[in-house]
Amino acid sequence: MQVLKFGGTSVASSEAMLQVVDIVRKTLEEDRTIVVCSAIGGCTDTLIEAGHRASARDAGYKELIQGLKERHYVLIRELLPPGYQERTSAVVDQLFGELEGLAYGVYLLGELSPASLSAIESFGELFSTAILTDKFLSLGVSCHWLDARELVQVRAGSVDEGETRQRIARAVDAFPHVELFIVPGFIASDESGRGTTLGRGGSDYTASLFAVAVRARRVEIWTDVPGIMTANPKVVPTARTIPHISYRAAQELSHFGAKVIYPPTIRPVVGEGIPIYVKDTFHPEAPGTVVEKNPPRVRDGVLGLSHSDHIALISLEGSGMVGVPGFSSRLFDALSRRGINIILITQASSVHSMCIAIAEGDADAAREAADSCFAYEISLGRLNPLRVETGFSIVCLVGDDILGHSGATGRMLAALGAHSIPVRATAQGSSERNISVIVPSVRAEEAIRAVHREFFDRWNGKVIHLFIAGYGRVGRALVEMLSDNAASIARRSGKELRVCGLANSRSYVIDTEGIPLAEAAQRLSDGEKGKDYIDALIGFSPENALFVDCTADEGIGFRYPALLRAGYSIVACNKIPFSGTYAQFKSLQEEAHKAGVSLRYETTAGAALPVLVTLDRVVQSGDTLVRMDAVLSGTLNYLLDNYQGSGFEALVEDARAKGYTEPDPSVDLSGRDVLRKILILSRQAGLPLEASQVTLEPIPADIDLRYAAAKARGHRLRYVASVDADGRATVGLREVGPDSPLYALRGTDNAILITTGDYPSPMLIQGAGAGTRQTAGGLLNDIMLSI
C-alpha cells in the first residue's frame, strides 16, 4: 500500500484536481492507495478570517463563507458529470449549513474559543475530499471516504499515535476490496470527541500516521515545488532539487524554516524506515526528493540552506557569571516558565557572556523573566541587565556529517565576509548536521545567496549566466555570435554560455533557465516594461554571473559598483564608466577586487584589438610608459581615408549606415570618443590622467583646406591621440608622412604605437577598430576570459 498527500495548491482548481486524479490513477496500477487531501488553496485562511470576523460581530463573515461556497460549486460543475453533481452538492450544502450555523453562534457570542476556531478550520478538508471522492466514484474507481476525526486521536494536546494506528488499521482492514481511500488531512478529534486540528503541516502528519498504520511502502507528498530545494528559489534562483536526504537532515532544514516538509511528518515513519517522496503535482515526471534512512553520500556533506526571520538576541554579561554553577540553568528555567522557546545558544569561552536566540515576539517577556530572575546579581553590579536586540535572522547550512568535512565553517564565514555581511553569533549543532549563523535580517537574503554560491554554485565547468544590457547593433551581434558559436565553445572550453537576461531602454526579460536565442527579440518585446533591470539583477546573483554592457548609457555605468558587490563580473564596451574622473576609474577596480569578480573592458578602446591587456602587462612587469601615439577612432580613420576633398557630410552618413559611428556621430566628430579612449588607455598604463589635462581639437570646419595642404606635401591626415610619461596629452588632426606607421592605415583600422622603458622602439598594435562584429567579438573574448 502507498500513501499520497496532496496540498492545497494541488486541488485549488478543476485543472489541478484533474492532474491529481491522473496521478492517483497511475499509482493505482501499482498498489492500493490512500490519498490524504488538504483544503483547496486559500480555503483555510479564509475560514480563519471568517471566524475572527464573526467573533468581532462583523457580518462580513457571511460574504467570505459565500465566496468559498461558490468556489466549491464551480469545482463540482467542472469536475463531475450531471448524475453526480446533485449528490455532491447535497453533501457540500449540508457541510456549509453546519459551518454557517457554527459561525453564527460565534457571531452571537462575540467570542472565538480555540475549540470553535478548530471546528471552523476543519471544514476545508471536508469540502475538498467530498468532491474528490465523488470524482473517483464517477470514474468507476473503487473508492471509500474515511473520516480522519474518527481515526486520528489527540490526547492532552498531542496525537496518541498508538491508538491512532490501531483505529486506522481497523478502518482500512474493514474494506479489503477497496482500492482507494480518500482521507481529509489536518483534522482529528480530542479525548472528548470534539473536532480539532493538527496545526502547521497537519495534512502531511496525517499522511505519515496512515503510512505507519498500514505499513505502507512509501509516502508521497505532492506539492507545487519540484522537491526539497538547496535554498528557497525565491531567494536563490539557482537553487536546485536535493535528490536524496536523510530523515534527520530534512528535519534540520524544516526546523530552520524550509516549509516543503514539516518535522511532525517525518517522526512517525523513521522507525519503520518508510521513505518519503516529495513531488511536484504539476510536473509529475520530475524525480523530486527522497527522504530516507540512508541516502547516498554527497560531496562536502552539504545538502541545503534554510533560514528563520524575526529573531531576537538576548545577551547576559557580567563577572557574576564566572564560575557560578547552575547559572545557565536558572536562565533556561526562567524562560521555560514563561513558555519561551530557545532557538540557539552561544557562550564565550571565558564564561563572561551568553547569547541566546529567541523569537522576536518573546523578547519583552524574556527581558522581564531574566531581570526578575537575576535581580539580586544586577543590583550588586555583578551582572548587567539583560540586553535585547531585534532584527536578526538565522541562516543554517545543513548536511549529513557536515562537521566531519574539514573547512565547512570556514568556507561559510569566508563567503559572508567576502560580502561584508556581519555575523552576530554562530553555533554548530551537536548532531553535526548544521552550522548556524545569526545575521541582520536586512542582509539575510544576501547572506543566503553568498553561502549558496560557495557550496552549490561554484564553477563546475558547465554554465556561465550572461545578463546583457543593450540590444542595439552590438547587442544583437553578440546574441547572434552566441547562437552560432555556443555549441563549439562548449565543446572546446567546457563552458556553456547561457543568456539569462536581456534589456533595452524600454523593457527587459530575465530567465535563469536561459532565453532561447532565436526568440530573444520577441521575449524582450514581451518582457517587463521600465528600467528596473539592474535592480532585478541585484536582487539575486547566480554564480558565474556576467553582466555584459553593450550600451553607451551613463546611468548604467553608475550601477556598476552595486553589480560588482552583488557578485557579478562585468564585461563592457561602454566607455563612459571608465572615462569619468580618475577616482571613479580606480574605485571600479577596487570594487571588483574587493568582491572577487572580474571587470573587463577591452572593447572600450579598440574593439577586439588587444590594447588594454598589453598595457596591463607593461605595468604588471614593472615597465613604464614613455609615450603612446594612437589612431583610436575607426570611424574617423574611415572618413579620412576615404575623403577626397569634398562631400564629407555624405561620407559621415555612409559610415553611420555601416555601423562604424557611435549612435550619435557627433561624438566621433567632436573627438569626445577618442578622448575617452586615450583616458582609458593612459589609466590602464598607470597614468592618472583627467579629461581636463587633454588638449582636444574636434574635426575642423576647414577640413577641405587641411586636406589639400597635407596632400600637397605628400602627407595624409590622421586623427591622433598622444600622451607621454608626464601626462601631457593631445587629441586632434595631424599630418603624417610616409615614414610614419600611421600613414598606411586603411578603412576602419586603428593603430597604437607604445614606447616603454624596456621597448624604446615602439610596439605597434594595428587592426580593425570599429564595426559591430568586431566589437561583439571583443566582448565575447572578454566573456571567455572573465571566468
Side-chain angles (χ1 to χ4, degrees):
M1 185 167 276
Q2 55 203 345
V3 178
L4 279 62
K5 177 265 176 179
F6 292 93
T9 54
S10 298
V11 291
S13 66
S14 57
E15 293 82 3
M17 273 200 176
L18 288 173
Q19 182 69 24
V20 169
V21 170
D22 185 55
I23 291 168
V24 172
R25 294 185 76 176
K26 289 178 180 176
T27 62
L28 287 172
E29 296 173 3
E30 303 175 12
D31 205 347
R32 298 174 75 197
T33 300
I34 297 172
V35 168
V36 176
C37 189
S38 296
I40 67 174
C43 180
T44 302
D45 288 341
T46 302
L47 288 169
I48 292 171
E49 184 180 353
H52 286 294
R53 284 198 185 184
S55 68
R57 291 182 172 163
D58 177 356
Y61 81 88
K62 296 179 181 178
E63 295 178 5
L64 294 176
I65 293 175
Q66 183 60 34
L68 284 179
K69 185 184 296 187
E70 291 171 0
R71 283 188 66 191
H72 286 86
Y73 286 160
V74 167
L75 290 175
I76 291 170
R77 290 194 300 270
E78 293 179 349
L79 285 170
L80 298 172
Y84 277 84
Q85 288 183 18
E86 184 176 346
R87 161 184 160 162
T88 309
S89 294
V91 173
V92 171
D93 278 344
Q94 180 180 345
L95 290 171
F96 269 106
E98 295 174 11
L99 170 62
E100 289 164 348
L102 180 58
Y104 183 62
V106 170
Y107 178 82
L108 291 176
L109 291 172
E111 180 183 349
L112 183 64
S113 67
S116 296
L117 179 59
S118 291
I120 290 173
E121 286 179 288
S122 69
F123 279 93
E125 279 69 21
L126 300 177
F127 298 146
S128 62
T129 53
I131 295 171
L132 194 61
T133 300
D134 280 357
K135 176 60 182 178
F136 280 109
L137 289 173
S138 73
L139 295 172
V141 176
S142 174
C143 177
H144 183 72
W145 183 82
L146 293 174
D147 190 344
R149 293 170 297 184
E150 297 177 357
L151 307 176
V152 181
Q153 298 297 296
V154 173
R155 300 282 185 268
S158 61
V159 173
D160 182 340
E161 293 189 2
E163 175 66 19
T164 295
R165 291 178 189 179
Q166 293 180 23
R167 292 190 178 203
I168 291 172
R170 287 197 298 268
V172 172
D173 289 344
F175 299 91
H177 302 297
V178 169
E179 58 180 331
L180 175 64
F181 295 91
I182 305 293
V183 180
F186 181 61
I187 61 176
S189 62
D190 61 18
E191 54 266 37
S192 301
R194 295 177 302 183
T196 188
T197 56
L198 300 180
R200 190 179 73 156
S203 292
D204 290 7
Y205 188 21
T206 302
S208 185
L209 292 169
F210 269 77
V212 172
V214 301
R215 297 185 178 180
R217 57 189 179 87
R218 60 194 283 159
V219 177
E220 295 179 3
I221 306 295
W222 290 84
T223 181
D224 59 353
V225 294
I228 300 176
M229 309 288 285
T230 53
N232 183 345
K234 294 180 180 178
V235 177
V236 183
T238 56
R240 54 183 181 269
T241 304
I242 303 171
H244 298 271
I245 189 171
S246 70
Y247 296 126
R248 294 289 299 276
Q251 285 179 313
E252 293 278 359
L253 277 175
S254 60
H255 174 73
F256 284 100
K259 295 180 175 61
V260 175
I261 194 167
Y262 296 96
T265 308
I266 300 170
R267 188 180 64 248
V269 303
V270 171
E272 303 295 328
I274 300 171
I276 301 173
Y277 291 75
V278 182
K279 304 271 286 179
D280 184 350
T281 302
F282 307 101
H283 299 91
E285 71 287 348
T289 298
V290 184
V291 185
E292 54 194 331
K293 185 176 182 179
N294 295 307
R297 294 179 65 85
V298 296
R299 182 176 60 85
D300 294 335
V302 177
L303 291 166
L305 279 163
S306 62
H307 81 289
S308 299
D309 294 322
H310 308 297
I311 299 298
L313 292 180
I314 60 175
S315 303
L316 275 177
E317 296 182 10
S319 59
M321 297 173 61
V322 180
V324 179
F327 186 91
S328 298
S329 65
R330 289 174 60 194
L331 174 60
F332 300 156
D333 182 60
L335 296 177
S336 176
R337 288 198 304 270
R338 297 294 295 268
I340 297 171
N341 180 46
I342 296 173
I343 301 172
L344 181 148
I345 305 168
T346 63
Q347 187 166 15
S349 58
S350 64
V351 201
H352 186 267
S353 64
M354 177 186 298
C355 180
I356 296 174
I358 60 174
E360 274 187 350
D362 293 331
D364 291 338
R367 186 199 307 272
E368 293 172 4
D371 287 349
S372 174
C373 178
F374 299 108
Y376 177 69
E377 288 87 345
I378 292 172
S379 68
L380 296 178
R382 296 176 182 174
L383 195 66
N384 299 329
L386 187 76
R387 185 176 66 189
V388 177
E389 303 169 86
T390 58
F392 291 97
S393 296
I394 295 178
V395 176
C396 185
L397 185 67
V398 174
D400 285 312
D401 189 28
I402 192 172
L403 302 182
H405 293 78
S406 62
T409 303
R411 288 174 62 192
M412 184 178 189
L413 295 177
L416 297 171
H419 291 268
S420 301
I421 299 170
V423 176
R424 185 64 176 78
T426 65
Q428 297 180 346
S430 59
S431 67
E432 299 189 345
R433 286 184 173 83
N434 81 71
I435 302 168
S436 301
V437 297
I438 295 179
V439 300
S441 293
V442 294
R443 305 290 301 277
E445 292 190 357
E446 185 181 356
I448 292 165
R449 289 191 290 269
V451 177
H452 194 276
R453 280 195 298 269
E454 173 63 32
F455 286 93
F456 300 100
D457 294 332
R458 280 293 177 192
W459 170 243
N460 56 13
K462 290 185 179 179
V463 180
I464 297 174
H465 304 90
L466 303 180
F467 299 88
I468 299 172
Y471 198 60
R473 287 193 180 99
V474 174
R476 284 195 296 270
L478 177 60
V479 169
E480 289 171 5
M481 281 188 176
L482 291 168
S483 179
D484 294 341
N485 300 305
S488 61
I489 289 172
R491 286 194 301 270
R492 184 172 64 252
S493 68
K495 299 177 182 180
E496 176 192 341
L497 302 181
R498 180 182 297 174
V499 177
C500 297
L502 196 58
N504 59 22
S505 60
R506 298 176 300 279
S507 60
Y508 69 90
V509 58
I510 296 174
D511 185 343
T512 55
E513 295 300 314
I515 299 167
L517 298 187
E519 304 172 11
Q522 187 60 51
R523 290 287 299 276
L524 181 56
S525 176
D526 296 339
E528 299 287 336
K529 305 305 177 186
K531 298 184 177 181
D532 299 326
Y533 182 52
I534 294 179
D535 287 332
L537 296 185
I538 291 171
F540 70 95
S541 52
E543 188 69 10
N544 308 320
L546 264 169
F547 179 78
V548 186
D549 186 358
C550 301
T551 75
D553 189 321
E554 183 177 9
I556 288 179
F558 284 128
R559 305 302 302 279
Y560 281 10
L563 285 164
L564 294 168
R565 287 192 292 270
Y568 287 85
S569 291
I570 294 178
V571 167
C573 64
N574 184 353
K575 291 178 275 293
I576 297 174
F578 307 96
S579 58
T581 67
Y582 181 73
Q584 291 169 343
F585 176 85
K586 289 299 293 180
S587 177
L588 285 178
Q589 314 290 323
E590 291 164 2
E591 287 284 3
H593 178 74
K594 188 188 303 181
V597 295
S598 178
L599 176 64
R600 303 189 69 87
Y601 44 95
E602 185 71 69
T603 52
T604 59
L609 294 179
V611 185
L612 295 181
V613 68
T614 301
L615 290 172
D616 190 55
R617 288 171 181 168
V618 167
V619 174
Q620 295 302 323
S621 67
D623 198 358
T624 56
L625 180 72
V626 173
R627 184 175 179 83
M628 181 162 45
D629 296 284
V631 170
L632 294 173
S633 173
T635 302
L636 294 182
N637 199 65
Y638 173 83
L639 295 173
L640 295 172
D641 185 47
N642 287 276
Y643 185 56
Q644 299 298 321
S646 63
F648 192 76
E649 292 182 358
L651 197 58
V652 171
E653 179 57 31
D654 174 63
R656 190 198 64 78
K658 291 179 178 178
Y660 295 159
T661 72
E662 291 291 312
D664 178 2
S666 67
V667 174
D668 297 290
L669 299 175
S670 69
R672 293 198 305 272
D673 181 57
V674 175
L675 172 63
R676 289 168 178 163
K677 291 179 179 179
I678 196 63
L679 287 172
I680 295 168
L681 290 174
S682 299
R683 292 165 178 179
Q684 196 74 9
L687 298 177
L689 192 64
E690 300 286 2
S692 59
Q693 297 174 260
V694 182
T695 301
L696 173 64
E697 177 198 13
I699 293 293
D702 63 346
I703 188 172
D704 53 339
L705 297 178
R706 298 279 291 271
Y707 172 81
K711 184 177 181 181
R713 285 188 285 271
H715 291 177
R716 291 175 178 167
L717 294 179
R718 295 290 181 256
Y719 199 78
V720 182
S722 299
V723 65
D724 63 22
D726 295 325
R728 290 185 293 265
T730 61
V731 174
L733 204 61
R734 185 186 303 176
E735 290 186 26
V736 295
D739 59 336
S740 170
L742 306 180
Y743 181 85
L745 289 180
R746 290 288 182 260
T748 61
D749 276 5
N750 280 187
I752 300 94
L753 292 166
I754 303 171
T755 304
T756 72
D758 292 341
Y759 290 87
S761 297
M763 293 182 284
L764 174 64
I765 301 172
Q766 181 176 335
T772 300
R773 292 283 297 180
Q774 289 82 358
T775 303
L779 287 170
L780 183 53
N781 185 61
D782 269 357
I783 289 169
M784 297 307 299
L785 292 173
S786 292
I787 295 182

